[in-house]
Amino acid sequence: MTHNTKVCNASDYQAISRSILPKPLYEYLASGTDDEQTLSENESAFKCWYLRPRVMRPVGSISTATTLFGQKLSLPVFISPAGVHALVDLHGECASARAAQRSGTLFCLSQHATRSIEQVADACANTSNLWYQSYILKDRAMTLRLVRRAAKAGYKGIFLTVDSVRFGYREADARNGWNALPEPHRLVNYDEEIAHKQPSQQKSSWLSPEASVDKRIIYSGEEDAWDQNTEQMFEQNATWDDVRWLKREACHDLPLIIKGIMTAEDAIEAVRVGADGVMVSNHGGRGLDGALAAIDTLPEIVAAVGDKVPVLMDGGVRRGTDVLKALALGATAVGIGKPVFFALAVGGEDAVVNLLHMLQKETEAAMAICGLAKVADARKMSLITRHPNGVVPRYTRSKL
């Protein structure tokens, strides 16, 4: 789908998407849970942090490049794991992965993707920028098989999402009747797991016998909102020992990042059990409403483990200044989710490339004005502060 409106920033893609997508689909992508406090504050909280521009510093050769687990990224922004990209683009996650590769950054494939682990790998020129995101399922054997498939296909790292024992309730989906994944879309990684089983293994239960999960429930629309139909797959009695288990059994040769960390205590536990990195995330405001914005949680996590492992974050990033604020607070890189869907909806793969290009150019400009030549120096230069009066003025964009 293409559109002729001039796009100048990431939010423009969302505004156009609102006008061209069916209301139930748009609100499924854009909404949060309950009162959407956390969804809103993920963005607005960035306005409560202020940059401290430094002057008379050499910025003639600025580099937005950074390194994550030995891999060089052209910008400190990557595509966070988020499922069902094919809802807005025919090529789905394949288009998003190619866009990230063209932009020189990482793409993380969701376990709930509409294109399979192998399809995405085959769609890219190589797998150097591909990571895979896993949940711990009630079916532990399937959990391991999926991660091992990603490793075999050449994916370079694993995100383990740990904040989804239950999904938050999204009232917009209930009101719009968005309670099932529309045909012909499928969560193909699970479907392929079934297809590869021997006939004797194919039983009425989708997962293992102890899981007692009927595959049809996922697509049935039995609950008012679709995520409540999928959450019954996830292990609700997981412990930190399960991180050790996954690291040992499926990704001991790959970096493992724990996604969904919102407290220092959990960050410390994640590192203690072997995580190679942590990611501050509140699931884009789609989990627990009333949780802190990700950017406000970041300093606590960096203080706890930032000297031991990389700290990533996502949630609310819409501008290059947002990227720089996160870097100044100690993040190694930041992820984007919703903006990718909206760019895909408007202009497919090329629009996602443009989205990442705009964020890179904005980040570069902000770095220059702050006297910062290298991403790695952002935290050292004391570039960020709160408002000196302790009160944040109400932010209103000027009207042209």
Side-chain angles (χ1 to χ4, degrees):
M1 186 178 295
T2 59
H3 204 274
N4 294 325
T5 302
K6 176 68 174 177
V7 172
C8 295
N9 57 62
S11 296
D12 284 348
Y13 281 122
Q14 181 165 354
I16 298 169
S17 294
R18 185 184 292 112
S19 70
I20 63 177
L21 292 177
K23 180 174 181 284
L25 173 54
Y26 171 77
E27 292 193 350
Y28 169 71
L29 300 172
S31 65
T33 57
D34 297 344
D35 294 322
E36 299 186 333
Q37 175 188 356
T38 300
L39 172 71
S40 175
E41 291 181 2
N42 268 348
E43 289 190 53
S44 65
F46 278 98
K47 302 294 188 290
C48 300
W49 291 95
Y50 292 79
L51 291 166
R52 302 176 66 243
R54 301 290 304 278
V55 299
M56 302 302 289
R57 300 177 63 87
V59 290
S61 299
I62 291 178
S63 173
T64 59
T66 191
T67 302
L68 183 64
F69 296 109
Q71 182 174 356
K72 186 174 181 179
L73 310 182
S74 64
L75 70 162
V77 181
F78 62 93
I79 297 181
S80 285
V84 296
H85 285 209
L87 287 174
V88 295
D89 183 81
L90 176 64
H91 302 286
E93 289 81 6
C94 295
S96 304
R98 286 192 297 260
Q101 191 162 79
R102 288 168 59 188
S103 303
T105 194
L106 298 180
F107 170 80
C108 185
L109 181 70
S110 170
Q111 188 163 296
H112 282 188
T114 43
R115 297 294 178 266
S116 74
I117 293 166
E118 295 79 11
Q119 284 175 313
V120 172
D122 290 344
C124 295
N126 56 67
T127 60
S128 62
N129 73 314
L130 298 182
W131 283 53
Y132 177 72
Q133 175 261 334
S134 175
Y135 294 104
I136 294 179
L137 303 174
K138 291 176 181 176
D139 186 335
R140 300 305 182 92
M142 184 182 283
T143 303
L144 293 180
R145 287 197 304 270
L146 287 164
V147 174
R148 288 168 178 165
R149 278 173 56 190
K152 182 178 180 181
Y155 287 63
K156 297 301 186 283
I158 305 297
F159 283 81
L160 176 64
T161 297
V162 295
D163 62 357
S164 299
V165 291
R166 295 283 295 273
F167 281 126
Y169 185 65
R170 295 207 287 279
E171 295 175 9
D173 293 347
R175 290 192 178 98
N176 292 326
W178 188 274
N179 59 356
L181 189 62
E183 294 289 351
H185 302 295
R186 309 289 291 180
L187 302 183
V188 294
N189 286 317
Y190 299 132
D191 285 354
E192 292 197 3
E193 280 293 304
I194 302 306
H196 292 156
K197 284 188 175 183
Q198 297 297 320
S200 61
Q201 297 175 295
Q202 295 183 10
K203 301 178 180 180
S204 59
S205 177
W206 186 12
L207 308 183
S208 57
E210 64 270 18
S212 299
V213 176
D214 190 330
K215 174 182 177 180
R216 293 169 297 181
I217 293 175
I218 306 283
Y219 302 106
S220 68
E222 188 171 289
E223 300 288 342
D224 286 340
W226 180 53
D227 278 351
Q228 275 62 54
N229 286 312
T230 59
E231 69 182 19
Q232 45 84 50
M233 300 169 57
F234 301 141
E235 176 60 76
Q236 295 183 341
N237 296 302
T239 70
W240 290 110
D241 286 339
D242 293 309
V243 176
R244 286 197 184 98
W245 164 78
L246 185 66
K247 181 73 173 175
R248 180 182 67 248
E249 298 294 331
C251 54
H252 50 85
D253 293 328
L254 297 175
L256 176 64
I257 293 177
I258 307 302
K259 179 179 181 290
I261 298 298
M262 289 292 289
T263 66
E265 294 90 336
D266 283 346
I268 291 167
E269 282 296 298
V271 174
R272 182 182 67 82
V273 298
D276 300 296
V278 297
M279 184 163 175
V280 178
S281 177
N282 52 41
H283 222 93
R286 296 160 82 89
L288 176 67
D289 196 32
L292 273 178
I295 190 66
D296 287 339
T297 306
L298 179 61
E300 175 182 338
I301 309 305
V302 170
V305 300
D307 61 339
K308 299 179 179 66
V309 297
V311 177
L312 311 178
M313 69 146 284
D314 69 3
V317 174
R318 299 295 184 271
R319 286 284 190 180
T321 48
D322 297 339
V323 177
L324 183 54
K325 288 173 183 179
L327 297 176
L329 288 171
T332 303
V334 302
I336 54 173
K338 290 182 180 70
V340 175
F341 281 96
F342 299 133
L344 268 181
V346 172
E349 178 182 331
D350 287 345
V352 179
V353 172
N354 185 55
L355 168 69
L356 290 165
H357 176 72
M358 288 189 299
L359 288 170
Q360 182 175 25
K361 297 302 288 184
E362 290 178 1
T363 302
E364 182 182 299
M367 289 173 63
I369 297 168
C370 285
L372 178 67
K374 295 188 300 182
V375 165
D377 293 335
R379 189 181 174 193
K380 304 172 187 175
M381 287 179 56
S382 300
L383 293 178
I384 196 161
T385 186
R386 290 289 198 176
H387 196 279
N389 293 337
V391 178
V392 179
R394 175 179 284 275
Y395 171 79
T396 303
R397 182 166 185 168
S398 63
K399 305 298 182 184
L400 299 179

